Amino acid sequence: MKPAPAPRGRRSEQQGPVSASACRVVIVGAGIVGCSLADELTARGWRDVTILEQGPLLAPGGSTSHAPGLVFRTSPSKTLTDFAKYTVEKFSSLEVDGLSCFNPVGGLEIATSEERWADLHRKAGLAASWGVRGELLGPARCAEMWPMLDPDRIVGGFHTPDDGLARALLASRAQMERATAHGARFLDRHTVTAIERERGRVTAVVTDRGTFPADIVVSAAGFWGPLIGAMAGVPVPLQPLAHQYARTGPLPELAGVNDPRTEATKPILRFQDRDLYYREHTDRIGIGSYAHRPLPVDPARLPAYDDAPVMPSSLPFTAEDFAPSWEESVKLLPALGAGRVEEGFNGVFSFTPDGMPVIGESREVRGFWLAEAVWVTHSAGVARAVAEWMTDGRPGMDVHECDLYRFEDAQRSPAYVAERGKQNFVEVYDVIHPLQPMEQPRPLRVSPFHIRQRELGGYFLEAAGWERPHWYEANAPLAESVDLPPRDAWSARYWSPIAAAEARATRERVALYDMTPLKRLSVSGPGALDFLQRMTTNQLAKKPGAVTYTLLLDEAGGIRSDLTVARLSEDRFQVGANGGLDLDWLLRQASEGSASGSRTGAVHVEDITPGTCCIGVWGPLARELVQPLTRDDFSHEAFGYFKARQTYIGHVPVTAMRLSYVGELGWELYTTADMGLRLWDTLWEAGQRHGVIAAGRSAFNSLRLEKGYRAWGHDMTTEHDPYEAGVGFAVRMNKGDFIGRAALEGRSEETAARRLTCLTLDDPAAVVMGKEPVYADGVAVGYVTSASYGYTIGRTVAYAWLPAATAVPGTAVHIEYFGEKVPATVAAEPLFDPRMERIRR
């Protein structure tokens, strides 16, 4: 093969969009994702796009070829809902031979238990939050829509009239034809055997029928994605599993009802209490089941298309696994009792550790992109986001939940991916609480204080693999004197009144908080300051010992993250970040700066989280606890707010930062992991005379909301700018250029059309949990981002995105919680200590 020309791939985000003729793109996989992406790229002017498929075109034998096509848009994830909404919009606009690629029969989810009926009320709230039409129905109305239903078994249903059936193969064909008309070429019967790389970039895709030079390679191979990723040296956290689908024989009840071309007129039916769904196939019923045992599949062991009895993704039907599902189906749809299953298969689908897609460009192998673990429901939406990312340098919506680098190293092992993938299959239709952790593998990551936390009866939940105590049973006696209103069963899960006692102890005395799971980065080198100045919004050119709250923006001014940056010396900074996406972003930018020869290239970015730990010591007695343990002066005059110093606490070397995320006096104390337990014990022993307690994340979240502190990923994302989110104070437009600065020109809090807004519930006994819709004058105008009971102020605090005209203190609104409209009022923030007197003393 001739050497490939020098790569001309995607430019960095700061450099702007790539020209339409700049890249040779090879997409691996001509399923619904590959075809959608080819269409989206060529619609944006890219012409040198090649799609390689190992099977025949139009029905290549992957998941698309057997997918039942269900599109239910409503999800707890706004991102997934937005993906699905675009998929419906796009497929509805596509036709093949006069037949639409989307059949809007609607969706009907039924409840046969009170728990599921309550969950459908919650789902109706999510639909209103994300702009999806929906209606809760009684049993009789459900039976009108599906006459085969036994209404006596139904408590109620949730109907979404604009959902429906995607004709995946037709949509693939329609988009393939449009992309081909714009210059793309689709080649079938090309099996990829290698991905060639040079100097950390892809250069070509090798197949059994030739080599294709490439500047960008996109793996859209579905459950074969891990094999393609391995060829490029990029692990793909995806576990294929088989999912059962069966069809009945012809049913008299459906004779002559449906046109064979459109196949269905009744809504897609979901019976999630038994992990089942149903759709019409003209005069038959298709039944999908998640009720069976997980059936993991090794994609390397699947037969080639020509060797498969049906197709590679269609495995033999295991009737014994389906038998219980058939029994449940007959109970729900008694007419099935006179019929039988005539055909079935075990179809292979992709599952990830968190159930979300995996998209984005590899940092280690530039030019290699992933668009994997994408179901038909979200296919066009994902393709649009990836195409925008490739052509414009950023997606047009927030996709942090789908980014490849959301996973920590501890979550990338094949064992972890397989175990969590199987668990996601089991739970796909379960009622999942927003705080509910996965069961295994746990514990995986623990702080050096874990042994002490267990001794104190820590109740642990999990995030990013970390065990995080939410409260401590040792503090139960303190809760006996706390007077709290009763909670409903949903909000009482993963909660304890002990959290209120821990919050009160923090406000009145002093508490120790384990902050170890928060991501910590070291940025060092001669170019460290210039690099961070370019990356962030606030002024970092301060003397060593200064700590600064600042933001990472994208080119459009969207908030990628918020950071605390401590300047420890002239060329060394410690960065408090939000997770792996921040590390990935800074590593990419540092690498590009180095490659360009700029001064910002003289910088080293390192994740120091695993080797370090942190204790937050917060409360009005924090100084009394800490000062006797150090020879340095911890007075306000000598150690002011947002300052840092390296010192000793007893025998332990620490980096002390005068920060407080709970609105009280105190410090974050960092040390190495090997000294962590000694630091805890030193503080614990010294704190006994001050009534010190250990406090957990539940109290922490309540305290931070009372203080109005934002949580990135919940309260603000790339879809919001600093002025909308109420963090414009962290932007210094006069400090020099930084990423996103140009986009912020002319913007201000006064020009913001929407705002992140503080709400308090009028009823002191009422609660909300987050993601509920907010109504003004009877119309849904926004949604809750974070919420917690404010134990200091005696009522629930919620933050929500609202139109600026509504976000005026004193405005009355309603928040829908499980179907009930709960009165709330827009409040001026912060609710607690607005003059900052408690922190700065």
Side-chain angles (χ1 to χ4, degrees):
M1 186 191 77
K2 295 181 180 179
R8 298 171 295 170
R10 167 183 169 270
R11 301 178 188 175
S12 68
E13 189 163 333
Q14 309 96 292
Q15 293 173 300
V18 183
S19 69
S21 60
C23 287
R24 300 162 299 176
V25 180
V26 174
I27 299 171
V28 179
I32 189 64
V33 178
C35 291
S36 296
L37 180 57
D39 182 46
E40 294 287 338
L41 286 173
T42 55
R44 287 165 173 77
W46 285 29
R47 295 292 178 258
D48 195 348
V49 179
T50 301
I51 301 86
L52 303 175
E53 173 53 55
Q54 64 181 345
L57 292 177
L58 301 182
S63 298
T64 301
S65 300
H66 65 66
L70 282 64
V71 178
F72 283 87
R73 292 165 300 161
T74 306
S75 165
S77 166
K78 180 178 180 294
T79 297
L80 288 187
T81 299
D82 287 345
F83 284 158
K85 287 166 67 176
Y86 181 71
T87 299
V88 169
E89 175 188 332
K90 184 175 186 181
F91 289 2
S92 296
S93 71
L94 300 175
E95 287 189 358
V96 174
D97 298 333
L99 187 63
S100 172
C101 293
F102 186 77
N103 184 0
V105 293
L108 178 62
E109 303 180 56
I110 58 165
T112 58
S113 66
E114 292 298 332
E115 181 187 21
R116 182 67 63 178
W117 182 229
D119 190 59
L120 291 185
H121 282 75
R122 183 175 70 101
K123 186 165 287 185
L126 290 170
S129 290
W130 312 146
V132 175
R133 283 202 307 153
E135 181 184 10
L136 291 163
L137 307 176
R141 184 73 181 100
C142 292
E144 286 179 20
M145 290 187 169
W146 259 84
M148 295 170 66
L149 279 170
D150 178 0
D152 292 336
R153 294 209 64 205
I154 303 169
V155 180
F158 177 52
H159 179 229
T160 46
D162 303 318
D163 289 338
L165 295 166
R167 298 186 173 96
L169 292 179
L170 284 186
S172 296
R173 177 181 163 188
Q175 293 177 103
M176 183 186 304
E177 291 173 352
R178 295 204 320 185
T180 300
H182 287 140
R185 58 175 177 163
F186 287 77
L187 303 175
D188 64 359
R189 302 292 186 173
H190 282 66
T191 299
V192 175
T193 58
I195 307 292
E196 293 189 346
R197 294 163 281 163
E198 184 177 337
R199 296 189 300 275
R201 287 200 63 96
V202 295
T203 57
V205 177
V206 182
T207 76
D208 58 352
R209 297 177 64 181
T211 297
F212 297 83
D215 304 308
I216 290 178
V217 175
V218 184
S219 178
F223 55 78
W224 286 289
L227 305 182
I228 302 300
M231 294 178 193
V234 177
V236 179
L238 179 162
Q239 174 61 54
L241 287 118
H243 158 60
Q244 291 199 302
Y245 194 78
R247 294 194 195 195
T248 69
L251 298 171
E253 291 80 5
L254 297 181
V257 172
N258 297 313
D259 184 330
R261 275 172 57 84
T262 57
E263 289 196 320
T265 53
K266 294 181 182 63
I268 311 162
L269 182 65
R270 287 212 284 197
F271 180 22
Q272 293 172 296
D273 283 324
R274 293 297 182 268
D275 299 309
L276 295 165
Y277 63 83
Y278 309 86
R279 59 153 293 183
E280 295 173 300
H281 291 280
T282 310
D283 60 352
R284 305 162 189 255
I285 297 291
I287 307 171
S289 173
Y290 292 100
H292 55 84
R293 61 194 166 96
L295 299 169
V297 175
D298 180 356
R301 298 172 65 89
L302 291 175
Y305 186 92
D306 293 327
D307 297 328
V310 180
M311 56 179 138
S313 64
S314 181
L315 304 182
F317 188 63
T318 50
E320 65 278 9
D321 286 311
F322 192 75
S325 294
W326 177 252
E327 292 179 9
E328 293 293 342
S329 296
V330 171
K331 292 176 184 177
L332 183 73
L333 306 168
L336 294 181
R340 64 185 181 86
V341 171
E342 193 168 274
E343 59 179 321
F345 63 94
N346 291 3
V348 184
F349 287 88
S350 301
F351 289 80
T352 59
D354 58 4
M356 299 292 287
V358 178
I359 64 177
E361 183 188 15
S362 168
R363 183 179 69 250
E364 296 81 4
V365 183
R366 302 305 294 270
F368 185 79
W369 287 72
L370 296 177
E372 296 291 9
V374 182
W375 291 9
V376 171
T377 302
H378 311 112
S379 55
V382 167
R384 178 179 66 170
V386 173
E388 290 170 340
W389 206 343
M390 291 170 62
T391 59
D392 300 332
R394 65 183 294 274
M397 58 179 289
D398 170 52
V399 296
H400 82 274
E401 293 176 307
C402 308
D403 195 297
L404 168 64
Y405 290 93
R406 70 187 184 271
F407 295 115
E408 297 284 323
D409 287 344
Q411 299 172 295
R412 297 174 186 270
S413 72
Y416 184 96
V417 172
E419 192 162 8
R420 288 289 171 99
K422 289 187 288 185
Q423 187 64 27
N424 269 301
F425 177 90
V426 170
E427 295 180 351
V428 71
Y429 276 174
D430 286 0
V431 177
I432 301 296
H433 193 277
L435 294 177
Q436 183 174 332
M438 282 283 194
E439 296 176 359
Q440 297 296 334
R442 293 180 62 192
L444 185 62
R445 307 175 79 187
V446 298
S447 78
F449 328 126
H450 187 66
I451 187 171
R452 297 291 183 260
Q453 293 168 341
R454 292 183 63 185
E455 291 169 355
L456 293 170
Y459 183 88
F460 295 92
L461 299 181
E462 180 262 352
W466 285 103
E467 294 295 319
R468 292 154 58 123
H470 275 241
W471 65 83
Y472 296 88
E473 291 296 330
N475 296 324
L478 300 178
E480 294 174 0
S481 61
V482 174
D483 183 20
L484 291 173
R487 286 205 169 204
D488 66 278
W490 184 254
S491 64
R493 291 181 65 184
Y494 306 106
W495 173 86
S496 169
I498 295 172
E502 292 176 358
R504 185 168 70 179
T506 306
R507 292 279 189 238
E508 295 177 354
R509 300 192 304 278
V510 61
L512 306 184
Y513 287 82
D514 181 3
M515 306 302 291
T516 301
L518 299 184
K519 180 71 74 176
R520 291 173 295 286
L521 310 176
S522 172
V523 180
S524 60
L529 175 61
D530 288 347
F531 171 73
L532 288 173
Q533 287 280 73
R534 169 70 175 158
M535 293 299 104
T536 69
T537 60
N538 213 334
Q539 178 58 262
L540 303 182
K542 302 174 182 177
K543 295 179 180 179
V547 183
T548 306
Y549 176 81
T550 188
L551 308 172
L552 292 176
L553 304 182
D554 62 21
E555 280 289 349
I559 303 172
R560 290 189 60 99
S561 189
D562 61 341
L563 313 173
T564 52
V565 179
R567 190 173 194 180
L568 303 182
S569 65
E570 288 294 327
D571 58 2
R572 185 164 66 93
F573 297 79
Q574 181 171 312
V575 177
N578 281 297
L581 300 187
D582 298 340
L583 173 64
D584 173 56
W585 176 243
L586 294 177
L587 284 171
R588 288 177 190 270
Q589 300 304 315
S591 174
E592 290 182 0
S594 177
S596 67
S598 68
R599 184 163 183 256
T600 59
V603 61
H604 179 66
V605 179
E606 180 184 5
D607 181 5
I608 61 173
T609 311
T612 57
C613 58
C614 177
I615 299 175
V617 185
W618 292 314
L621 301 183
R623 184 173 286 114
E624 281 86 341
L625 192 163
V626 174
Q627 183 61 82
L629 301 175
T630 179
R631 296 183 180 182
D632 285 328
D633 187 351
F634 270 51
S635 68
H636 179 66
E637 295 73 20
F639 197 157
Y641 189 54
F642 265 79
K643 298 297 181 183
R645 67 172 52 168
Q646 292 174 304
T647 183
Y648 288 86
I649 298 296
H651 297 91
V652 181
V654 302
T655 298
M657 298 186 195
R658 178 106 181 262
L659 305 175
S660 174
Y661 205 53
V662 300
E664 295 291 343
L665 171 69
W667 290 264
E668 293 179 359
L669 302 176
Y670 298 87
T671 191
T672 51
D674 61 321
M675 298 296 292
L677 188 58
R678 183 60 178 263
L679 176 61
W680 180 281
D681 289 344
T682 299
L683 293 167
W684 186 257
E685 180 180 352
Q688 293 308 300
R689 62 194 296 256
H690 303 293
V692 72
I693 68 161
R697 296 289 300 186
S698 188
F700 177 88
N701 196 48
S702 171
L703 296 169
R704 71 101 178 166
L705 284 171
E706 289 181 333
K707 192 60 182 169
Y709 292 147
R710 279 63 168 145
W712 186 85
H714 296 278
D715 301 318
M716 55 191 186
T717 68
T718 54
E719 294 182 359
H720 314 108
D721 75 32
Y723 305 111
E724 296 171 326
V727 289
F729 63 87
V731 177
R732 296 290 183 269
M733 294 291 285
N734 61 355
K735 77 160 189 172
D737 196 22
F738 56 84
I739 294 175
R741 183 185 184 283
L744 296 185
E745 290 283 1
R747 300 192 203 180
S748 67
E749 291 185 9
E750 289 70 29
T751 64
R754 59 181 175 175
R755 289 180 182 154
L756 183 62
T757 307
C758 179
L759 306 174
T760 57
L761 272 57
D762 296 353
D763 182 354
V767 296
V768 295
M769 300 287 290
K771 301 187 178 181
E772 298 90 352
V774 180
Y775 289 81
D777 298 323
V779 178
V781 294
Y783 59 91
V784 174
T785 59
S786 295
S788 176
Y789 199 87
Y791 302 113
T792 311
I793 67 168
R795 64 188 63 241
T796 294
V797 180
Y799 273 77
W801 281 102
L802 298 178
T806 306
V808 178
T811 302
V813 297
H814 288 84
I815 302 174
E816 183 178 326
Y817 181 71
F818 285 92
E820 179 185 354
K821 298 293 197 306
V822 180
T825 302
V826 175
E829 59 171 335
L831 298 169
F832 180 79
D833 189 26
R835 298 176 64 181
M836 301 287 284
E837 294 173 337
R838 295 176 70 93
I839 290 179
R840 294 172 171 161
R841 61 180 178 184

